[in-house]
Amino acid sequence: DAKTTQPPSMDCAEGRAANLPCNHSTISGNEYVYWYRQIHSQGPQYIIHGLKNNETNEMASLIITEDRKSSTLILPHATLRDTAVYYCIVRDDNAGNMLTFGGGTRLMVKP
Amino acid sequence: KAGVTQTPRYLIKTRGQQVTLSCSPISGHRSVSWYQQTPGQGLQFLFEYFSETQRNKGNFPGRFSGRQFSNSRSEMNVSTLELGDSALYLCASSLGEGMNTEAFFGQGTRLTVV
């Protein structure tokens, strides 16, 4: 079973920031939080990951709470091309490169 | 550099047949994982290969199998196909060392069983 909980869907206006929440209350000390997204009919795309510090790259920012029980993915200026299903995943430290996907959040960016 | 390549992109098979799907990982990546995606079950992990050895296996019947070659290319095989095996099969490659590495996915093979 996925170790994360995400809202099934969210809307965002084009040009505004999209803030996608994720709960992972059972995360253990050395597990990373990963975010992927899947645009319709394509393979998932890596976005960002982090352990406990906030992270930023050219695609997004990842904010992890101090207790590490939740995180937020921020797309600072959403575009129509950001419409996708976003998956928050906690990597099991005993499971190699296995990713356990939950239902994800379907983000709809609207003009 | 070239991404993950999966062949074929589309496939139609008849119940009872078997099928082999291929995945070429990114150059230098030693880990290849396979996933099945269906509308009802979402994305589910099948298995992972690292340096020609199966490292992890998901909860799928023995009809699903795979292997990895010395050049890290991987194949997965499904025998005695069932209608429920219709799905998008995705391959992901990773460097394979440690946890702090991301997976890169191919475009997938869409299998239809009729």
Side-chain angles (χ1 to χ4, degrees), chain A residues 30-32 34 36 38 41-46 49 87 91-102, chain B residues 9 31 33 35 37 43 45 48 55-56 88 90 94 96-107 110:
Chain A
N30 57 350
E31 287 182 311
Y32 284 73
Y34 280 75
Y36 286 80
Q38 187 174 27
S41 296
Q42 298 182 19
Q45 177 191 23
Y46 165 80
H49 72 280
Y87 297 98
R91 277 276 295 274
D92 185 334
D93 59 353
N94 292 318
N97 288 299
M98 181 178 85
L99 298 172
T100 302
F101 288 84
Chain B
R9 290 293 310 279
S31 167
S33 300
Y35 294 82
Q37 186 171 29
L43 268 159
F45 172 79
E48 180 200 4
R55 186 156 70 172
N56 287 293
L88 180 65
L90 291 157
S94 304
E97 300 292 348
M99 284 184 53
N100 194 13
T101 58
E102 60 265 39
F104 296 86
F105 284 80
Q107 293 290 77
R110 185 163 297 281

Side-chain angles (χ1 to χ4, degrees), chain A:
Chain A
D1 290 336
K3 298 182 180 181
T4 61
T5 304
Q6 299 177 253
S9 64
M10 291 181 62
D11 289 344
C12 178
E14 189 179 20
R16 302 297 295 270
N19 297 284
L20 292 91
C22 178
N23 286 319
H24 32 79
S25 58
T26 61
I27 192 170
S28 64
N30 57 350
E31 287 182 311
Y32 284 73
V33 178
Y34 280 75
W35 283 83
Y36 286 80
R37 72 180 182 184
Q38 187 174 27
I39 296 170
H40 183 61
S41 296
Q42 298 182 19
Q45 177 191 23
Y46 165 80
I47 301 173
I48 198 167
H49 72 280
L51 183 62
K52 52 187 176 182
N53 297 321
N54 298 337
E55 302 287 344
T56 296
N57 62 21
E58 65 279 3
M59 288 184 68
S61 294
L62 174 60
I63 308 298
I64 303 175
T65 58
E66 193 168 340
D67 64 7
R68 302 209 325 122
K69 293 186 177 182
S70 66
S71 61
T72 301
L73 178 75
I74 301 172
L75 307 178
H77 304 288
T79 70
L80 299 179
R81 290 181 297 179
D82 292 321
T83 292
V85 178
Y86 287 77
Y87 297 98
C88 169
I89 299 167
V90 169
R91 277 276 295 274
D92 185 334
D93 59 353
N94 292 318
N97 288 299
M98 181 178 85
L99 298 172
T100 302
F101 288 84
T105 295
R106 184 173 298 278
L107 176 69
M108 180 74 72
V109 180
K110 298 183 174 180

